[in-house]
């Protein structure tokens, strides 16, 4: 439906941003962040988490720095995905937290997304 169409358009937009500016450019990273949020909101937990963890976050840390607001926001996306994914077990959460270098429990309690309840 419309959701799938929107994700296709967001993926295309991200690809064009990367082609125009390069993967390290702040606008490309921000666009990728928006794509990741859409993936996570639509329950694409594995794909969204992997996209942030393996592609966006390492590039953001290197090009923008660990303390940049966008880098911190990406870390929050991972924490949100790890804690809200209904298919994650506690052991998987601990493993992913360690692998990502994110304290997902503390982050999710500190900045809970509107409309998300436990």
């Amino acid at each position: 439906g419309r959701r799938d169409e929107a994700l296709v358009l967001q993926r295309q937009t991200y690809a064009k941003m990367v082609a125009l500016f390069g993967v390290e450019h702040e606008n490309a990273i921000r666009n990728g962040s928006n794509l990741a949020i859409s993936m996570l909101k639509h329950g694409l937990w594995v794909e969204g988490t992997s996209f942030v963890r393996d592609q966006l976050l390492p590039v953001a840390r290197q090009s923008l720095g660990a303390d940049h607001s966008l880098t911190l926001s990406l870390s929050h996306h991972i924490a949100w995905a790890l804690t809200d994914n209904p298919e994650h077990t506690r052991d998987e959460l601990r493993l992913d937290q360690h692998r990502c270098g994110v304290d997902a429990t503390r982050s999710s309690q500190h900045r809970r997304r509107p409309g998300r309840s436990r």
Side-chain angles (χ1 to χ4, degrees), residues 57-77:
L57 192 54
V59 170
R61 284 180 178 150
Q62 183 176 6
S63 63
L64 304 175
D67 292 336
H68 191 278
S69 62
L70 185 51
T71 306
L72 296 172
S73 179
L74 291 169
S75 295
H76 182 259
H77 295 348

Side-chain angles (χ1 to χ4, degrees), residues 69-117:
S69 62
L70 185 51
T71 306
L72 296 172
S73 179
L74 291 169
S75 295
H76 182 259
H77 295 348
I78 291 177
W80 167 37
L82 293 178
T83 57
D84 285 8
N85 180 347
E87 296 179 13
H88 258 115
T89 66
R90 287 181 191 254
D91 289 338
E92 289 172 324
L93 179 58
R94 285 187 194 101
L95 176 63
D96 281 342
Q97 281 179 269
H98 178 71
R99 187 170 61 192
C100 297
V102 173
D103 184 351
T105 307
R106 195 176 84 208
S107 292
S108 69
Q109 291 171 349
H110 196 59
R111 286 183 51 198
R112 186 160 307 283
R113 289 218 179 258
R116 311 285 290 181
S117 61

